[in-house]
């Protein structure tokens, strides 16, 4: 399994100067918006595969997979929105991406280690108060990694989620999706088209967490189509007043030509 990041570690990432510019704003409506009692911090992992023991040290930028340490090297030119991008020293087919909100109270990331493991991390830092009435729309960034056999593809996009606090539900979408072979020199945008993803309506729990079904996201290139067969997403609402949301998306792709099935591991940070 993946070890959880510590609160101190994710805070250290924020203080170390990672990019924190957000792409949207949160708007809450409803004249009678109320708040629940302060909710505790949350640290969770999602979609972990092909590893038994993986941990991250964001203070020293070290990734450990089954007892082997990998040094992370930041690649500023490959940053996307709030997400900073890291290569893994000595392993050109391994990447890691981490992002935090402008407030530093929420964060999420994705790691892919070739022949090692991959997964998503997200965290709410500090307490939050969760609205119980009204609605809110969260806009932000999405980044994912896909093992496409010939290259490690990154999928970039925009995340939008809408919470109905009166009904305790949330839904959303990942749009404007682009595919990049970013482990190539120079990074090259793929000619493939990548369909939008719909985050189906699901319940928000009393702790502000949620988990639901993700649909869409087909990957179409010149020779074949990788059709999404199953998809899921989860996350947590955070920020001081429930004004931020972070989480992850996992989509299984079945290649129509039986060339190479793929799994997309993505993370979003929005406010």
């Amino acid at each position: 399994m993946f070890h959880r990041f510590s609160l101190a570690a994710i805070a250290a990432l924020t203080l170390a100067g990672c990019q924190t510019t957000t792409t949207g704003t949160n708007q809450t409506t409803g004249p009678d918006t109320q708040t629940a009692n302060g909710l505790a911090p949350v640290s969770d992992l999602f979609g972990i595969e092909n590893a038994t023991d993986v941990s991250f040290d964001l203070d020293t930028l070290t990734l450990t997979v089954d007892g082997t340490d990998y040094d992370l090297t930041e690649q500023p030119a490959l940053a996307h929105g709030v997400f900073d991008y890291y290569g893994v020293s000595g392993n050109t087919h391994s990447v890691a991406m981490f992002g935090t909100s402008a407030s530093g109270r929420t964060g999420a990331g994705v790691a892919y280690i070739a022949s090692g493991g991959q997964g998503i991390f997200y965290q709410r830092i500090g307490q939050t108060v969760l609205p119980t009435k009204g609605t809110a729309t969260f806009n932000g960034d999405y980044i994912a990694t896909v093992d496409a056999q010939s290259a490690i593809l990154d999928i970039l996009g925009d995340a939008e989620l809408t919470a109905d606090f009166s009904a305790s539900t949330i839904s959303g979408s990942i749009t404007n999706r682009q595919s990049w072979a970013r482990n190539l020199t120079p990074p090259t945008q793929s000619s493939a088209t990548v369909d939008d993803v719909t985050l189906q309506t699901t319940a928000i729990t009393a702790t502000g967490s949620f988990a639901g079904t993700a649909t869409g996201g087909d990957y179409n290139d010149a020779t074949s189509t990788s059709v999404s067969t199953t998809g899921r997403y989860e996350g947590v609402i955070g920020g001081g007043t429930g004004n931020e949301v972070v989480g992850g998306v996992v989509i299984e792709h079945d290649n129509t030509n039986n060339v190479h099935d793929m799994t997309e591991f993505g993370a979003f940070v929005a406010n």
Side-chain angles (χ1 to χ4, degrees):
M1 66 177 180
F2 275 58
H3 293 309
R4 287 173 171 79
F5 292 46
S6 68
L7 296 178
I10 198 74
L13 175 65
T14 303
L15 295 175
C18 72
Q19 184 177 355
T20 56
T21 302
T22 57
T23 62
T25 57
N26 168 269
Q27 296 180 343
T28 301
T29 62
D32 299 321
T33 298
Q34 299 176 354
T35 56
N37 293 330
L39 299 177
V42 170
S43 177
D44 211 345
L45 303 153
F46 181 48
I48 307 306
E49 290 188 359
N50 302 328
T52 58
D53 190 15
V54 179
S55 62
F56 300 83
D57 187 334
L58 296 182
D59 294 314
T60 61
L61 290 181
T62 302
L63 186 63
T64 304
V65 181
D66 292 336
T68 300
D69 290 340
Y70 298 90
D71 293 329
L72 301 178
T73 302
E74 186 175 357
Q75 301 179 16
L78 301 182
H80 171 62
V82 301
F83 286 97
D84 288 317
Y85 193 95
Y86 298 88
V88 178
S89 300
N91 195 330
T92 58
H93 283 76
S94 299
V95 295
M97 301 88 103
F98 303 107
T100 57
S101 64
S103 72
R105 297 177 66 94
T106 53
V110 182
Y112 175 86
I113 304 301
S115 302
Q118 53 271 345
I120 302 160
F121 160 82
Y122 61 89
Q123 188 168 51
R124 177 173 70 207
I125 302 165
Q127 292 192 341
T128 190
V129 288
L130 188 67
T132 57
K133 294 185 179 180
T135 63
T137 297
F138 307 87
N139 293 285
D141 302 311
Y142 175 82
I143 194 167
T145 183
V146 179
D147 178 6
Q149 192 172 31
S150 60
I152 301 301
L153 298 175
D154 296 333
I155 295 177
L156 313 180
D158 300 327
E160 180 176 295
L161 292 94
T162 298
D164 183 337
F165 292 112
S166 299
S168 296
T169 60
I170 193 167
S171 61
S173 60
I174 309 295
T175 60
N176 300 321
R177 285 158 54 86
Q178 302 175 2
S179 173
W180 287 75
R182 300 212 294 172
N183 63 322
L184 302 181
T185 304
T188 303
Q189 184 174 357
S190 169
S191 60
T193 59
V194 192
D195 293 350
D196 292 345
V197 173
T198 298
L199 308 177
Q200 302 289 344
T201 301
T202 194
I204 302 172
T205 71
T207 62
S209 63
F210 51 86
T213 300
T215 58
D218 290 0
Y219 186 94
N220 311 283
D221 61 25
T223 59
S224 63
T225 297
S226 291
V227 179
S228 62
T229 55
T230 59
R232 59 197 192 278
Y233 76 102
E234 66 176 58
V236 67
I237 295 171
T241 57
N243 59 324
E244 299 173 2
V245 62
V246 292
V249 179
V250 175
I251 301 175
E252 304 287 345
H253 296 266
D254 185 7
N255 189 273
T256 55
N257 289 354
N258 295 318
V259 176
H260 182 62
D261 295 341
M262 307 186 303
T263 304
E264 175 179 338
F265 295 85
F268 56 84
V269 175
N271 72 345

